[in-house]
């Protein structure tokens, strides 16, 4: 009698364990795609060029600009999180390059890191020079800004920031020359 | 706990056989337990009190951001509370950390606020409090002035354009609308002025080139600051070609009259003129560059010949030379 009872109990336990494993596997399978999307930290950028002027923007220029702006923010994020100036060098020139390099070096010396997570950028081209050698963008960006001292998070905030951005055409890409946050446009 | 008392009581009872002693022991143990519970309660209360006091103390720390900070101008962050804390300032081109005393203003130097943009000030004493503020650009002291093209043919409409962007001494783009004066000066023509207000930090103009070849000086000025650029206005395409020729010992030589554009400017040296000679033998072609306004070519042939010239889209007169 006792043996039968213990066998039944073992059976119930093992079926519960199996159910739990099955639920865990199903849950993992269901959550994995969502996690992958969440882990994809590439900035999301939407570009509107309908108000650009006085020069109208060519569709190929728009495509390249979008690609390079998105890539620039990914590099900025990487530079300020890893405190490395290497990611800045490709797409930031002039003042933007100097500022970011300074930000990275002072962060490094202070033991601070910044993380720009879940970036969304609504970008509007507001000025495109007559000869096509300058574009001004207005970027309404929202992201989770985390500032860390070592491993301690000292600031964690979801922010909406307005950026005025000047870009120039380089040899094979558009580069950021100026990036300046403003209270509003 | 009660089970252990009962076990001890039962053990002692069996050893000395006294119910009374057992009651005494149980009472003593209960008393100890109560005392222990009281002590633990007091300790927990003390820990909670310290924690709450800490929280209240930390929450007392309040930060006041500078109301209208300007690039390159010292400012301060107001704090409340007391005790020491760690202060962080994270801005567009800076990240600093230093120890501060709460209850006193935290001074920010001009150097720390050179870049316009958003700053975050954080103070950590136990937990962290933060405040964000913006630094505005200072007065414009320089103009970035882009002018195109560097060489422009005369008499073309809307061929010259310029964009001016004002910057302060710390390379911040000045976004407040400001009037920019563009002045265009060319030799032999009255200066032309054009005023434009910056919109989103940029002012621009577009204009036609003049009628005379030579330098076109373009100056952009803002609040006493000016930047100059030069566009070289060059002759446009040749307008008409007139050729002449004569026989010589080698055959015949042809040359143009001075080649000019439609407004009378001599075309630049190096402009190519193509001479074509047709005779009974066939067609012969020579490309000759303009030198000092004239293109010249030596061609061979003894029979009657018809010569024409072309440059760009312009054709000259036909010239007929008889047999030698």
């Amino acid at each position: 009698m006792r043996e039968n009872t213990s066998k039944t109990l073992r059976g119930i336990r093992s079926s519960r364990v199996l159910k739990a494993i099955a639920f865990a596997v199903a849950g993992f399978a269901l959550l994995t795609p969502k996690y992958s999307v969440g882990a994809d930290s590439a900035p999301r950028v939407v570009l509107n060029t309908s108000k650009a002027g006085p020069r109208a923007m060519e569709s190929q220029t728009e495509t390249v600009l979008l690609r390079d702006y998105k890539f620039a923010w990914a590099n900025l994020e990487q530079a300020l999180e890893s405190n490395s100036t290497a990611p800045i060098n490709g797409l930031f020139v002039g003042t933007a390059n100097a500022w970011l390099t300074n930000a990275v070096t002072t962060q490094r010396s202070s033991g601070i890191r910044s993380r720009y997570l879940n970036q969304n950028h609504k970008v509007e081209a507001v000025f495109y020079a007559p000869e096509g050698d300058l574009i001004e963008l207005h970027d309404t960006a929202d992201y989770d800004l985390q500032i860390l001292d070592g491993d301690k998070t000292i600031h964690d905030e979801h922010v909406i920031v307005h950026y005025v951005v000047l870009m120039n055409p380089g040899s094979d890409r558009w580069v950021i020359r100026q990036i300046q946050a403003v209270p509003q446009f | 706990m009660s089970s252990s008392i009962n076990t001890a009581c039962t053990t002692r009872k069996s050893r000395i056989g006294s119910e009374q002693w057992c009651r005494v022991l149980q009472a003593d143990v209960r008393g100890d337990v109560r005392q222990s519970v009281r002590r633990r309660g007091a300790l927990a209360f003390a820990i909670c009190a310290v924690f709450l006091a800490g929280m209240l103390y930390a929450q007392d720390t309040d930060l006041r951001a500078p109301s209208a900070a300007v690039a390159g101008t010292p400012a301060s962050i107001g704090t409340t509370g007391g005790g020491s804390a760690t202060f962080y300032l994270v801005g567009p081109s800076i990240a600093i950390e230093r120890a501060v005393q709460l209850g006193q203003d935290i001074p920010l130097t001009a150097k720390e606020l050179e870049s316009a943009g958003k700053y975050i000030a954080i103070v950590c004493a136990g937990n962290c409090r933060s405040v964000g503020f913006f630094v505005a650009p200072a007065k414009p002291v320089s103009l970035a002035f882009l002018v195109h093209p560097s060489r422009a043919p005369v008499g073309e409409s809307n061929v010259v354009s310029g964009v001016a962007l004002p910057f302060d001494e710390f390379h911040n783009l000045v976004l407040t609308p400001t009037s920019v004066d563009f002045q265009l000066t060319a030799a032999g023509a009255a200066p032309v002025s054009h005023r434009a207000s910056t919109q989103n930090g940029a002012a621009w103009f577009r204009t036609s080139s003049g009628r005379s070849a030579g330098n076109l000086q373009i100056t952009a000025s803002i609040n006493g600051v000016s930047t100059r650029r030069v566009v070289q206005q060059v002759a446009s395409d040749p307008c008409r070609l007139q050729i002449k020729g004569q026989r010589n010992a080698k055959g015949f030589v042809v040359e143009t009259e001075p080649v000019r554009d439609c407004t009378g400017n001599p075309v630049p040296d190096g402009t190519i003129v193509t001479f074509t000679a047709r005779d009974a033998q066939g067609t012969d072609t020579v490309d000759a560059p303009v030198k000092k306004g004239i293109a010249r070519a030596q061609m061979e042939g003894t029979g009657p010949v018809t010569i024409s010239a072309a440059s760009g889209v312009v054709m000259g007169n036909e010239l007929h030379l008889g047999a030698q």
Side-chain angles (χ1 to χ4, degrees):
Chain A
M1 180 69 174
R2 194 175 280 177
E3 250 178 47
N4 285 345
T5 313
S6 66
K7 275 180 185 173
T8 314
L9 282 170
R10 267 185 227 143
I12 290 166
R13 272 180 204 148
S14 61
S15 73
R16 276 182 188 164
V17 167
L18 282 171
K19 274 182 187 171
I21 290 167
F23 272 117
V25 168
F28 183 75
L30 284 169
L31 289 172
T32 299
K34 285 180 186 171
Y35 174 76
S36 296
V37 171
D40 179 13
S41 61
R44 286 174 287 274
V45 181
V46 179
L47 175 64
N48 176 11
T49 59
S50 62
K51 290 180 185 169
R55 185 187 177 100
M57 196 176 289
E58 303 83 0
S59 63
Q60 201 177 352
T61 306
E62 190 177 328
T63 307
V64 174
L65 189 78
L66 180 66
R67 179 199 69 188
D68 293 341
Y69 191 70
K70 196 174 176 177
F71 197 39
W73 268 98
N75 285 5
L76 182 148
E77 181 187 354
Q78 196 187 343
L80 290 172
E81 185 170 355
S82 65
N83 279 342
S84 163
T85 53
I88 296 167
N89 293 328
L91 289 160
F92 295 90
V93 297
T95 306
N97 186 290
W99 284 11
L100 281 172
T101 303
N102 215 27
V104 167
T105 49
T106 51
Q107 273 198 171
R108 197 188 297 149
S109 59
S110 306
I112 299 172
R113 287 185 297 134
S114 303
R115 304 178 74 193
Y116 291 69
L117 306 171
N118 305 316
Q119 294 180 36
N120 291 293
H121 299 263
K122 286 179 186 163
V123 183
E124 193 170 34
V126 294
F127 180 75
Y128 188 22
E131 292 299 317
D133 53 353
L134 176 77
I135 285 180
E136 181 176 339
L137 305 174
H138 282 182
D139 177 7
T140 302
D142 72 276
Y143 49 80
D144 297 320
L145 174 64
Q146 289 182 354
I147 300 170
L148 300 97
D149 183 357
D151 290 330
K152 184 190 171 191
T153 304
I154 56 171
H155 182 78
D156 190 350
E157 184 188 13
H158 183 78
V159 291
I160 299 172
V161 186
H162 303 287
Y163 290 97
V164 173
V165 182
L166 297 180
M167 293 184 82
N168 293 130
S171 55
D172 60 347
R173 68 192 72 174
W174 282 83
V175 292
I176 295 180
R177 183 162 292 277
Q178 192 90 19
I179 181 161
Q180 202 168 301
V182 292
Q184 71 236 349
F185 296 128
Chain B
M1 176 63 85
S2 62
S3 67
S4 64
I5 295 166
N6 288 336
T7 312
C9 192
T10 314
T11 314
R12 283 295 175 97
K13 196 167 66 178
S14 61
R15 203 180 292 169
I16 61 172
S18 168
E19 286 283 340
Q20 199 176 355
W21 189 91
C22 193
R23 277 191 214 108
V24 168
L25 179 67
Q26 282 174 333
D28 281 355
V29 170
R30 278 189 206 113
D32 284 350
V33 168
R34 277 192 205 115
Q35 209 169 357
S36 169
V37 166
R38 271 190 212 119
R39 275 187 200 142
R40 284 182 187 174
L43 186 65
F45 179 77
I47 289 167
C48 286
V50 167
F51 181 71
L52 284 169
M55 278 184 71
L56 286 169
Y57 180 76
Q59 281 172 356
D60 264 349
T61 307
D62 201 11
L63 301 176
R64 286 188 312 276
S67 58
V70 175
T73 305
S76 62
I77 306 270
T79 66
T80 57
S84 60
T86 308
F87 171 71
Y88 302 88
L89 182 71
V90 178
S93 67
I94 198 164
I96 54 163
E97 178 202 8
R98 63 173 179 250
V100 292
Q101 283 294 316
L102 296 176
Q104 296 174 5
D105 283 357
I106 302 168
L108 304 175
T109 64
K111 182 81 180 161
E112 288 166 347
L113 300 177
E114 281 187 353
S115 305
K118 191 177 183 188
Y119 287 71
I120 295 168
I122 306 162
V123 168
C124 294
N127 60 355
C128 298
R129 302 294 299 272
S130 64
V131 67
F133 63 95
F134 282 91
V135 170
K139 285 191 301 180
V141 296
S142 66
L143 274 171
F145 190 26
L146 309 170
V147 174
H148 283 285
S150 55
R151 282 160 60 97
V154 296
E156 285 209 20
S157 61
N158 289 332
V159 70
V160 178
S161 67
V163 179
L165 301 112
F167 287 88
D168 69 7
E169 63 178 302
F170 311 106
H171 310 292
N172 300 305
L173 178 64
V174 179
L175 293 158
T176 45
T178 316
S179 286
V180 180
D181 289 312
F182 296 106
Q183 188 161 46
L184 292 85
T185 313
V192 177
S193 288
H194 175 69
R195 174 172 281 196
S197 179
T198 58
Q199 204 175 0
N200 300 317
W204 67 281
F205 73 92
R206 189 150 47 192
T207 188
S208 304
S209 57
R211 295 181 64 81
S212 302
N215 287 344
L216 171 66
Q217 293 193 20
I218 307 172
T219 308
S221 307
I222 183 169
N223 297 342
V225 180
S226 64
T227 306
R228 192 168 65 99
R229 298 283 180 268
V230 175
V231 172
Q232 195 182 358
Q233 296 184 125
V234 295
S236 193
D237 293 330
C239 195
R240 55 186 276 275
L241 284 173
Q242 191 71 33
I243 59 172
K244 58 187 180 183
Q246 58 185 20
R247 293 274 176 194
N248 61 11
K250 293 179 184 173
F252 55 92
V253 63
V254 284
E255 68 175 32
T256 62
E257 296 287 325
V259 185
R260 296 180 187 277
D261 67 9
C262 293
T263 51
N265 299 291
V267 299
D269 280 3
T271 303
I272 298 296
V273 176
T274 304
F275 295 99
T276 306
R278 289 192 309 276
D279 59 9
Q281 310 299 317
T283 304
D284 191 15
T285 303
V286 173
D287 285 340
V290 170
K291 282 183 186 169
K292 293 181 180 174
I294 293 168
R296 183 180 289 112
Q298 172 69 51
M299 303 180 87
E300 293 178 354
T302 53
V305 63
T306 302
I307 308 152
S308 64
S311 181
V313 295
V314 178
M315 289 201 70
N317 60 309
E318 280 198 344
L319 179 69
H320 302 281
L321 292 177
Q324 199 165 25

